[in-house]
Amino acid sequence: MGLPSVMVLPLLVVVFAGIYYLYNEVIQFMSKSIVRNKVVVITDAVSGMGSECARLLHEGGARLVLCGPSWDKLESLCDSLSSDSDPSKTFTPKLVLLDFSDIDSMSDVITEIGECYGCVDVLICNGSMKVKAPVQTLSLEMDKTVMDVNYFGPITLAKGILPLMIARRTGHFVLVNSIQGRLAVPFRTSYAASKHAVQAFFDCLRAEVEEYGISVSTISHTFINAADPSPAPSDPQPTNALWTYILNKLTTHGVSPKHLADEIVRVVNRQRREVLLAHPIPWTALYIRSFLPSVFFAVVAAGVKDSTMDEQLK
């Protein structure tokens, strides 16, 4: 008895999804051996994404330098990582206080990071300051603060770490950036400007340091879901891991901290130059912005007018 033609397409989708799922599982397993003994610096390690990334790299045997603005949160993260791991296969993370808004302290921070292990294999620049407001309501001081946190802080750190990598002729910079570093939207003037600036800096850096064997990767993502969406109690829950994976891909529009952390680890292993984590709408907007800019500007402007009218009617 032959297979009904109506079943061919769904079957192919399931088969290819299964292959992709198994491929990701194999890559994630292999990645743990690749990062072993490497010195990895993570900024804003106490954030949701930062802590997930730290957990994955710690399990893989990386020598972590965790940076963040709160010592208490850094210690709590360190204790959590140490208690959940085998001390014979992992290293106790080093902790460094780092606040990108305090540019004057960056010199001491860079020295402290360098003294942790004497070298840096991977610098993961994570974290940012988000501001959403009409341009006329933002002060110049706020603009400067956003630029310090999102641009001047990360590039100051990168410049400070760069000589350590050049001396060893190896290293990897990973910038965790927003899609707004490539696609500006209204009411985010300061944020989008800072993200465009830091994206351009690391794109230029990539070309300049290639001769020294140093890699530069940028990851542009959409909004981060602080927590995985909780399904309604009445919804049937799949028990199969493959089906769970497929449903998450179909129903989740943002990116979860765990998904982003998994992608960062893959980028560290494969040294991919550029990654875009987004669902189809941002992808489409990027293409329209590139090939039909007039259409893009008209749609965006219409959206601003609609939002303004909604505010007036409230």
Side-chain angles (χ1 to χ4, degrees):
M1 182 177 180
L3 185 69
S5 58
V6 72
M7 294 294 296
V8 173
L9 182 58
L11 183 60
L12 288 175
V13 170
V14 171
V15 169
F16 282 112
I19 293 173
Y20 183 67
Y21 171 79
L22 292 174
Y23 170 76
N24 282 333
E25 290 297 309
V26 171
I27 291 297
Q28 186 171 342
F29 174 79
M30 293 175 59
S31 68
K32 292 185 177 181
S33 61
I34 296 176
V35 299
R36 183 170 300 281
N37 295 322
K38 287 195 173 184
V39 178
V40 182
V41 179
I42 306 176
T43 67
D44 197 18
V46 296
S47 66
M49 190 288 300
S51 59
E52 283 286 346
C53 189
R55 181 183 60 80
L56 291 174
L57 293 170
H58 182 70
E59 290 175 353
R63 293 181 287 174
L64 296 179
V65 180
L66 305 179
C67 305
S70 169
W71 187 258
D72 290 340
K73 291 182 179 180
L74 284 173
E75 285 189 324
S76 176
L77 174 59
C78 180
D79 292 342
S80 175
L81 294 176
S82 299
S83 63
D84 295 338
S85 61
D86 183 350
S88 65
K89 298 180 180 179
T90 58
F91 299 89
T92 301
K94 306 283 188 180
L95 308 180
V96 176
L97 275 176
L98 169 60
D99 183 357
F100 278 143
S101 64
D102 185 6
I103 297 297
D104 294 336
S105 69
M106 291 303 299
S107 177
D108 293 335
V109 169
I110 292 167
T111 300
E112 188 175 353
I113 290 175
E115 290 175 347
C116 287
Y117 290 104
C119 65
V120 173
D121 292 302
V122 182
L123 171 61
I124 300 175
C125 288
N126 167 55
S128 63
M129 180 179 182
K130 299 176 178 64
V131 177
K132 179 182 178 181
V135 63
Q136 66 270 23
T137 66
L138 289 174
S139 67
L140 185 58
E141 287 302 315
M142 177 58 72
D143 291 336
K144 291 179 178 178
T145 301
V146 173
M147 289 299 293
D148 280 345
V149 175
N150 295 353
Y151 175 68
F152 287 112
I155 74 163
T156 301
L157 179 59
K159 286 184 174 183
I161 298 299
L162 182 59
L164 297 175
M165 294 185 176
I166 291 178
R168 301 171 64 233
R169 302 191 73 84
T170 184
H172 191 182
F173 291 101
V174 179
L175 171 67
V176 183
N177 203 21
S178 167
I179 195 174
Q180 292 187 52
R182 302 175 62 181
L183 185 71
V185 296
F187 306 119
R188 293 166 177 82
T189 49
S190 299
Y191 180 71
S194 66
K195 290 302 183 179
H196 271 73
V198 75
Q199 178 76 33
F201 174 88
F202 280 91
D203 283 345
C204 293
L205 180 66
R206 180 186 294 113
E208 293 185 27
V209 301
E210 186 173 354
E211 63 177 302
Y212 301 108
I214 299 171
S215 303
V216 177
S217 302
T218 60
I219 303 174
S220 302
H221 60 80
T222 53
F223 67 91
I224 297 178
N225 294 318
D228 292 330
S230 301
S234 59
D235 292 343
Q237 300 303 308
T239 57
N240 183 280
L242 174 59
W243 278 112
T244 302
Y245 179 82
I246 294 173
L247 289 176
N248 284 338
K249 289 294 181 183
L250 292 175
T251 60
T252 303
H253 295 302
V255 56
S256 68
K258 185 181 185 309
H259 181 199
L260 182 52
D262 287 339
E263 189 61 42
I264 291 171
V265 173
R266 281 193 288 268
V267 167
V268 169
N269 294 326
R270 305 178 196 174
Q271 297 190 348
R272 294 176 61 186
R273 294 183 175 184
E274 193 169 52
V275 173
L276 178 60
L277 288 179
H279 56 91
I281 293 177
W283 272 102
T284 303
L286 279 172
Y287 280 111
I288 294 176
R289 172 67 177 84
S290 300
F291 299 106
L292 298 170
S294 297
V295 174
F296 175 81
F297 295 142
V299 171
V300 171
V304 172
K305 292 178 182 177
D306 291 342
S307 63
T308 303
M309 182 174 295
D310 289 341
E311 288 295 326
Q312 293 175 348
L313 292 175
K314 286 182 179 179

